[in-house]
Amino acid sequence: MPRIRLEPMTQALYSDFMEVILPAYVAERAAADHVSAEVAQRYARHQHARLLPEGHRTTGHRFLRIVSTDGDESVGGVWFWIDVENKQGFLYNITVLPRHRRRGFASDALVLVEEMVRAAGCTTLGLNVFSSNDGAIALYRKVASVPYQATGTSRYEQTDTQPAGTPGAPGKNA
């Protein structure tokens, strides 16, 4: 029996999710780029506006909340993009709320995301991970079964290019 299910986020949940993931991304971006938090925050907000001109309704992007089947409690969220034309998915973010971490929810969510990406006809799942995010790197190595590419600032880097058509991506918080 699955421990989680993925459900679409409402506009309110999407807004909350973006505010939760932004500080960690800004901190990682500032460290990786050797810039101030203010510069990294400006960059992140611009990047989100460019990637998501229609918010959580932007074509191809999926924003799903991770719901524990034990109590129907929301334990986190996931953001990914499906490019059906190029048969590629791109994982932007999996976040499990701190009080729910280390229970396998991120692993279960990644398995479900991979199933959704495969069901859409995609053959690869790309992702970005900062080299300091050991938890995310361990998760991707342990769980990922769809051939995927890790791009960006990472010691887990397998390629120095993103899949064709894949926009730049913030990703963190496994």
Side-chain angles (χ1 to χ4, degrees):
M1 170 182 266
R3 293 182 298 174
I4 65 155
R5 66 181 180 275
L6 300 178
E7 297 179 350
M9 289 184 189
T10 62
Q11 175 62 47
L13 288 172
Y14 159 77
S15 295
D16 290 347
F17 177 72
M18 295 305 281
E19 290 305 312
V20 165
I21 69 173
L22 185 65
Y25 177 66
V26 166
E28 292 280 6
R29 183 86 273 151
D33 294 346
H34 307 289
V35 297
S36 69
E38 294 78 23
V39 169
Q41 178 146 5
R42 231 181 358 262
Y43 172 80
R45 293 224 184 254
H46 172 76
Q47 185 180 42
H48 285 169
R50 182 178 49 81
L51 289 172
L52 303 165
E54 298 172 39
H56 77 295
R57 291 183 175 17
T58 301
T59 302
H61 290 267
R62 309 287 198 284
F63 289 89
L64 305 171
R65 69 186 194 120
I66 304 168
V67 180
S68 169
T69 55
D70 180 30
D72 281 341
E73 184 177 6
S74 186
V75 298
V78 62
W79 168 21
F80 62 101
W81 177 68
I82 293 178
D83 178 0
V84 176
E85 184 179 325
N86 291 305
K87 298 182 179 185
Q88 300 174 77
F90 194 87
L91 178 65
Y92 284 92
N93 185 285
I94 292 180
T95 295
V96 173
L97 300 172
R99 69 183 179 277
H100 298 289
R101 291 186 181 153
R102 302 290 174 229
R103 295 189 201 166
F105 293 131
S107 297
D108 292 351
L110 182 54
V111 168
L112 293 177
V113 167
E114 288 180 333
E115 289 174 6
M116 295 171 96
V117 167
R118 250 189 250 109
C122 298
T123 57
T124 63
L125 178 59
L127 58 94
N128 261 354
V129 61
F130 289 101
S131 61
S132 61
N133 193 344
D134 293 328
I137 292 167
L139 169 69
Y140 303 140
R141 284 184 174 157
K142 172 184 159 192
V143 177
S145 61
V146 170
Y148 65 91
Q149 302 167 339
T151 61
T153 309
S154 170
R155 65 175 162 236
Y156 188 63
E157 200 164 313
Q158 294 180 345
T159 180
D160 58 3
T161 60
Q162 291 180 329
T166 302
K172 188 175 180 329
N173 296 336

